[in-house]
Amino acid sequence: MLCCVLTHPFQRLRSPLSPGSRAGLGAALVLLGFIWAVEAADGNGAHYLGLMAAAPVLAAVFATWRVVLGVGAAATAGAVAFAFSEPRVSLDTATNVAAIALVTALVAVVAGVRQRQARQIAELSKLASVAQQAVLRPLGPQVGTLAVAARYISSTATAEIGGDLYEAIDTPYGVRMIIGDVRGKGLDAVRLASIVLGSYRHVAHERADLRAVVSDLDRAVARSVGDEDFVTAAVVEERGGTLTIVNCGHPSPLLLRRGCVIPLEPPAPAPPLGFMPVVQPRVERLEPGDRLLLFTDGLGEARRDGEFFPTADRAWRLLGHGTVADGLASLETALVEWVYGRLDDDIALVLMEYAGPRSEATAAVPSWEVGATEG
């Protein structure tokens, strides 16, 4: 009889059950079976009926409200069966049976609310992920003459969303890349990042001088933020083997060349976008096989036990092998291991490799020199 009572309430449950519901159902049934066994072994009245209320409560932690109702129905039915096995149903026994039914109803409501909130959170996480993917388009594996790869490492497990940004575009002035970091997090940061990237994708094709690109981006940020908001950014151009970098308060890119790691510091510091930066370009001549790492400050701030991740010391060993995508995968693995899987900030990474000039017929002229000749 008890077997029929146990199985019948679950025949109407929707299937298949989620892993959480299966876990909750299994734990509740084990607990319920144990209480029934103790009650049956006692054989001297219904002394443990009140404990059966714990079964639907346990199920409500993980399972859906339907599963909770099923467990509660089984617990109530079992309690009724034990109650009527007595010669005379006492008031305490009847009260325990009623309490089981009442607790079942209450925890089913709680499970329903939890289930609805979980669906809402899952939907928001999905929307956040879609928004992030719309802002950060996939890069590579080839942009112009450069091999390019990018990774976004989120500091949270719930959603990959934040204010780190990157882009690489093949333009009439060479391959142009930007990496930036919006002050703050969440949807406001994503909104500002989308504004910066939207403006960059336009002006990168229109402005010959990277300083003009920075000015346009600065005005776009100033129109969209408050007095204390800003965006750090580094804008990079590769043209015929000449690398030009303008830096607006952003961590300096790292040049990887023949086993050495060279920080490409700007000639003079400049404030972030939003504070009217006046930038001075840094120009480098690239060699075939050179790699350039662009990153946001989450990489420089990653630490364990107060010790920062040794980016410059380990960059060549991690990034100098395989494809650029392989290099970023190695860097991410080493970074996550270093911080024991706990990051304090999102990290954007872009790695590019210069294979050599597209054609020897075209002389390398950096964009800041082109811009200087414009009237």
Side-chain angles (χ1 to χ4, degrees):
M1 181 183 73
L2 290 180
C3 180
C4 295
V5 172
L6 174 64
T7 58
H8 179 70
F10 303 109
Q11 292 176 353
R12 299 177 183 178
L13 295 178
R14 294 182 178 179
S15 59
L17 296 176
S18 67
S21 291
R22 287 197 297 269
L25 176 60
L29 292 183
V30 169
L31 176 61
L32 200 57
F34 175 76
I35 297 173
W36 283 349
V38 172
E39 188 69 75
D42 181 65
N44 186 23
H47 297 149
Y48 306 102
L49 297 186
L51 295 177
M52 295 183 188
V57 172
L58 180 59
V61 176
F62 302 104
T64 65
W65 64 269
R66 290 184 175 85
V67 172
V68 173
L69 283 180
V71 172
T76 304
V80 170
F82 280 113
F84 280 104
S85 67
E86 294 184 328
R88 177 176 173 272
V89 179
S90 65
L91 179 61
D92 288 345
T93 299
T95 301
N96 284 333
V97 173
I100 294 171
L102 179 60
V103 168
T104 297
L106 291 177
V107 296
V109 172
V110 172
V113 172
R114 176 187 53 77
Q115 186 180 357
R116 183 168 61 252
Q117 291 177 340
R119 283 197 301 265
Q120 292 173 345
I121 292 173
E123 185 67 21
L124 288 175
S125 297
K126 181 179 178 180
L127 291 174
S129 179
V130 170
Q132 187 80 348
Q133 293 172 10
V135 172
L136 298 180
R137 302 183 300 195
L139 295 186
Q142 196 78 19
V143 180
T145 60
L146 303 179
V148 179
R151 294 180 85 89
Y152 189 98
I153 307 174
S154 177
S155 60
T156 62
T158 54
E160 296 185 355
I161 187 166
D164 292 17
L165 59 96
Y166 55 76
E167 181 61 287
I169 305 173
D170 191 9
T171 74
Y173 310 104
V175 177
R176 287 180 166 178
M177 295 176 285
I178 185 173
I179 191 162
D181 190 357
V182 177
R183 178 182 180 271
K185 295 183 179 181
L187 292 177
D188 288 339
V190 173
R191 178 186 62 84
L192 183 53
S194 67
I195 291 173
V196 173
L197 286 175
S199 178
Y200 174 76
R201 287 163 182 158
H202 172 71
V203 300
H205 289 277
E206 303 296 327
R207 301 292 190 182
D209 189 343
L210 286 187
R211 291 171 295 188
V213 172
V214 168
S215 296
D216 288 346
L217 295 179
D218 177 69
R219 286 191 292 270
V221 171
R223 287 193 298 264
S224 306
V225 300
D227 294 336
E228 297 182 357
D229 295 321
F230 57 84
V231 181
T232 67
V235 183
V236 179
E237 175 188 283
E238 183 280 321
R239 186 177 187 184
T242 298
L243 186 72
T244 307
I245 304 172
V246 291
N247 196 319
C248 304
H250 198 77
S252 299
L254 299 180
L255 177 63
L256 286 69
R257 173 179 291 167
R258 298 193 302 272
C260 298
V261 179
I262 308 168
L264 299 184
E265 302 284 350
L273 299 174
F275 293 141
M276 296 184 292
V278 178
V279 295
Q280 295 185 28
R282 172 159 182 167
V283 181
E284 295 285 335
R285 186 66 186 173
L286 292 175
E287 300 177 3
D290 282 354
R291 290 188 173 186
L292 185 72
L293 176 66
L294 310 175
F295 57 93
T296 54
D297 59 5
L299 178 60
E301 295 173 359
R303 54 187 165 184
R304 69 177 182 193
D305 303 327
E307 185 178 358
F308 291 98
F309 181 74
T311 304
D313 294 339
R314 302 180 65 178
W316 176 260
R317 193 160 65 251
L318 294 170
L319 300 170
H321 66 89
T323 66
V324 288
D326 294 335
L328 287 187
S330 296
L331 176 58
E332 180 179 0
T333 300
L335 177 65
V336 172
E337 290 178 355
W338 178 270
V339 298
Y340 305 121
R342 297 187 299 271
L343 289 170
D344 295 327
D345 195 7
D346 295 350
I347 302 173
L349 303 170
V350 178
L351 182 64
M352 74 108 190
E353 180 177 4
Y354 175 69
R358 183 182 307 179
S359 172
E360 297 181 356
T362 303
V365 182
S367 68
W368 60 276
E369 290 184 359
V370 174
T373 63
E374 295 182 348

